[in-house]
Amino acid sequence: MDYYTLLVWASCFLCVFFQALQLARKKSSPAKLPPGPVPLPIIGSLFKLGNKPNETLAELAKTFGPLMTLRLGRVTTIVASSSTMAKEILRRHDHVLAGRPVVHSVCTLGYNDSSIPFSQPNQHWRRLRSICNTQVFTTQKLDSYQYLRRRKVQELLDHMREKSQTGQPVEIGEAAFATSLNLLSNTVFSVDLVGLNSKSAQEFSSLVWGFMEEIGGTNVVDYFTFLSPFDPQRRRRRMTAHLKRLFSIFDEMIDKRLQDRRSGSDDSGTRNDFLDTLLDHTHSGGLTRHHVKCLLTDIFTAGSETMASTTEWAMAELLNTPKVMAKARAELIESTIKGKSIEESDVSGLPYLQAVVKETFRLHPPGPLLIPHKAESDVEIGGFTIPKDSKVIVNVWAIGRDPDLWVDPTSFMPERFLGSNMDYKGQDFELIPFGSGRRICPGLPLASLMVHLMLASLLRSFDWKLPNGMSPQDTDMSHKFAITLRKDIPLLAIPIVPVD
């Protein structure tokens, strides 16, 4: 018997043993779990997830209800698919359910213990959250960087004008990604990282998406932890490569800044970017260089992907519904001056544009399943028990398409938000694309500002048409799943300078 055959048999034996142990514990426990599909021996319901678990779990919820149990390998997984259950988990019992299950793909280079999304709610995590909330994403700080956002969006519009002169289609997601990335890099480092429509932008986009895929893809090790040393799907190995590449970029920036400080050529007194703030905290705030690199990884991966993909989805939905596009452009033409740049202060007077963004977040949330939570102790919700150490998933994608909440839930209808006070900032559980409670995404304020500004500027400055005589019905709206959602087929559109 060769080594690999022996390994397979040993793994099967251990799986059966642990499954039997788990079943024995279940029989001896009086806890009443939420309903769910009958699990198969060993693997449970893992086979049901598929490559789009947001859709699969939404379908299962139609049978088993808004709070259901899945046995995924050795892990008890609780899935919430309604706004009521989401509120119970993210608000009422937030203190018990704020933990994180181990995601083995991020257990490399110390990232899992030092990142905001994946570390446990400990003192280090609270320190990082505090820095973000008091030093980075405050209203005062964001206002001070408004000129940067205006400049980056203007560069995006200049790029679009060049394309419009030749009638070339533009890959909207790629252009929005480069713009978002450069906005972040200027906010953090005071420099651009990539050029619009450049090879470097495409490479960084691929790096970020690869990072997201390794986190969001089904990994057998997460459900059978004894397989961790073998990394059978090579997810941790690929994640290590992604992190090394990101860390090398950040190390280069940090080294240059430290050298400038030592040589006296540093202009931090006038620059005052995010890197300066973080380096100051390495002296007085208990942060290490490693903590800084992990936090920068969080900001650049989640921030660039969220802003770019939301802008692309919004443009795709608008091109797919010409009447909505026309209405959004009409509001912009009526409310703003031709030839004058859109200002962030203009957005408050653009209710239909705000509704377009909300509707985009409803149908295409940046985190369709959020990042899973973990129960720190047993907790009762809706008459059922969520046992300690269980994995808890909130299916935001399903909530956004719940027919009990939304009329014609799969249609893109921004009008549903007109005259409504519903927002996406964590208080209205029908619309929580960034989560809620203590684990809400800290970058929400910046993402909201940038998406509105990019979208308003693109719509005000250009008419848009699909290439090659395509009709709206030809627009592919399918997605691919990672920890976020990205259009399966990138959106191509032709910008046309209007005559209005």
Side-chain angles (χ1 to χ4, degrees):
M1 182 180 294
D2 62 36
Y3 170 78
Y4 291 105
T5 303
L6 181 64
L7 179 63
V8 169
W9 279 106
S11 299
C12 290
F13 172 78
L14 288 171
C15 285
V16 172
F17 173 77
F18 284 119
Q19 186 78 12
L21 185 62
Q22 195 174 42
L23 288 173
R25 286 175 177 170
K26 178 184 175 184
K27 289 179 180 177
S28 63
S29 171
K32 182 183 179 183
L33 293 173
V38 177
L40 292 177
I42 302 175
I43 65 171
S45 298
L46 265 176
F47 70 97
K48 290 181 177 291
L49 291 182
N51 60 2
K52 294 181 180 179
N54 55 314
E55 294 184 354
T56 303
L57 295 175
E59 282 299 313
L60 287 172
K62 294 177 182 178
T63 300
F64 298 103
L67 195 69
M68 64 179 174
T69 303
L70 275 77
R71 298 285 185 182
L72 302 179
R74 294 178 54 205
V75 178
T76 299
T77 303
I78 309 298
V79 183
S81 303
S82 74
S83 60
T84 301
M85 292 297 103
K87 186 174 182 178
E88 288 285 305
I89 290 167
L90 300 177
R91 176 179 287 176
R92 184 178 177 191
H93 300 287
D94 185 30
H95 61 292
V96 180
L97 300 172
R100 289 296 194 214
V102 174
V103 179
H104 283 274
S105 61
V106 304
C107 294
T108 178
L109 304 181
Y111 177 65
N112 58 305
D113 293 325
S114 299
S115 75
I116 289 181
F118 300 103
S119 60
Q120 300 305 324
N122 51 28
Q123 183 178 354
H124 168 69
W125 174 81
R126 286 189 286 273
R127 183 186 301 120
L128 289 179
R129 287 283 305 199
S130 176
I131 290 172
C132 286
N133 291 334
T134 62
Q135 302 292 327
V136 186
F137 299 118
T138 64
T139 300
Q140 182 180 5
K141 199 72 167 180
L142 290 175
D143 285 347
S144 72
Y145 290 133
Q146 187 173 157
Y147 75 98
L148 276 179
R149 294 190 289 275
R150 188 186 304 117
R151 189 172 75 200
K152 293 299 119 183
V153 170
Q154 186 58 53
E155 290 171 5
L156 172 65
L157 298 179
D158 292 342
H159 173 70
M160 295 297 180
R161 287 191 183 91
E162 289 180 13
K163 295 293 184 180
S164 70
Q165 291 173 2
T166 60
Q168 288 181 281
V170 178
E171 192 168 312
I172 299 295
E174 181 182 291
F177 182 89
T179 300
S180 302
L181 182 62
N182 282 337
L183 168 73
L184 291 171
S185 67
N186 273 273
T187 303
V188 176
F189 303 128
S190 299
V191 297
D192 284 347
L193 276 185
V194 299
L196 282 169
N197 202 32
S198 67
K199 185 178 180 182
S200 59
Q202 297 166 13
E203 290 173 350
F204 206 101
S205 177
S206 296
L207 173 62
V208 168
W209 182 249
F211 180 94
M212 297 293 188
E213 281 187 313
E214 300 312 331
I215 295 173
T218 301
N219 189 357
V220 67
V221 177
D222 290 334
Y223 305 104
F224 300 104
T225 55
F226 63 87
L227 293 174
S228 179
F230 306 104
D231 190 22
Q233 293 169 264
R234 299 293 184 265
R235 288 197 180 278
R236 190 168 57 210
R237 184 172 72 174
R238 291 190 293 271
M239 177 61 84
T240 301
H242 296 326
L243 280 172
K244 283 182 176 179
R245 175 62 181 137
L246 288 166
F247 284 1
S248 69
I249 294 171
F250 302 146
D251 271 325
E252 183 179 344
M253 294 293 184
I254 292 170
D255 287 339
K256 184 179 185 307
R257 183 63 55 84
L258 291 175
Q259 183 179 357
D260 289 344
R261 285 185 166 196
R262 287 191 296 266
S263 66
S265 61
D266 177 49
D267 60 349
S268 59
T270 56
R271 181 181 50 228
N272 192 30
D273 58 24
F274 186 30
L275 183 57
D276 283 321
T277 300
L278 289 180
L279 292 178
D280 289 341
H281 277 273
T282 62
H283 296 293
S284 60
L287 293 186
T288 66
R289 184 185 182 113
H290 176 70
H291 294 149
V292 170
K293 291 191 294 184
C294 289
L295 181 53
L296 293 179
T297 298
D298 297 338
I299 290 172
F300 276 90
T301 54
S304 58
E305 179 63 30
T306 295
M307 291 187 283
S309 63
T310 301
T311 302
E312 182 179 28
W313 280 118
M315 288 295 293
E317 290 287 5
L318 290 168
L319 283 161
N320 199 35
T321 49
K323 289 183 179 179
V324 176
M325 168 83 84
K327 191 169 181 179
R329 289 203 74 243
E331 179 187 63
L332 281 157
I333 292 168
E334 181 180 340
S335 304
T336 59
I337 301 172
K338 181 181 179 181
K340 184 178 179 294
S341 297
I342 300 290
E343 300 289 340
E344 290 173 6
S345 57
D346 294 330
V347 172
S348 61
L350 300 169
Y352 197 74
L353 177 78
Q354 294 177 54
V356 166
V357 172
K358 289 178 183 179
E359 184 73 338
T360 303
F361 281 139
R362 180 185 73 84
L363 285 172
H364 311 285
L369 301 179
L370 302 181
I371 295 176
H373 292 235
K374 185 181 78 171
E376 302 290 344
S377 63
D378 288 0
V379 59
E380 184 172 318
I381 293 180
F384 300 106
T385 297
I386 296 180
K388 180 182 178 181
D389 294 328
S390 59
K391 181 177 182 179
V392 181
I393 293 173
V394 178
N395 193 343
V396 173
W397 187 89
I399 294 171
R401 295 164 184 258
D402 184 349
D404 292 334
L405 294 175
W406 311 99
V407 176
D408 198 3
T410 60
S411 295
F412 188 75
M413 297 191 306
E415 288 79 6
R416 71 176 83 242
F417 289 105
L418 294 178
S420 168
N421 292 323
M422 186 182 295
D423 213 334
Y424 48 80
K425 297 180 180 178
Q427 300 304 310
D428 299 297
F429 289 84
E430 300 87 348
L431 189 67
I432 47 171
F434 296 91
S436 182
R438 66 192 68 191
R439 284 291 189 173
I440 194 170
C441 174
L444 187 160
L446 177 59
S448 178
L449 285 172
M450 197 61 186
V451 167
H452 281 93
L453 186 60
M454 275 199 290
L455 187 60
S457 299
L458 290 172
L459 292 175
R460 180 63 179 93
S461 300
F462 303 98
D463 286 322
W464 293 89
K465 72 174 183 178
L466 295 167
N468 304 320
M470 289 175 58
S471 66
Q473 292 73 27
D474 299 323
T475 306
D476 186 285
M477 299 299 287
S478 60
H479 67 261
K480 50 186 177 181
F481 179 93
I483 198 171
T484 185
L485 297 181
R486 183 180 277 194
K487 276 191 93 282
D488 196 15
I489 298 176
L491 175 66
L492 292 174
I494 299 173
I496 302 168
V497 177
V499 295
D500 63 83

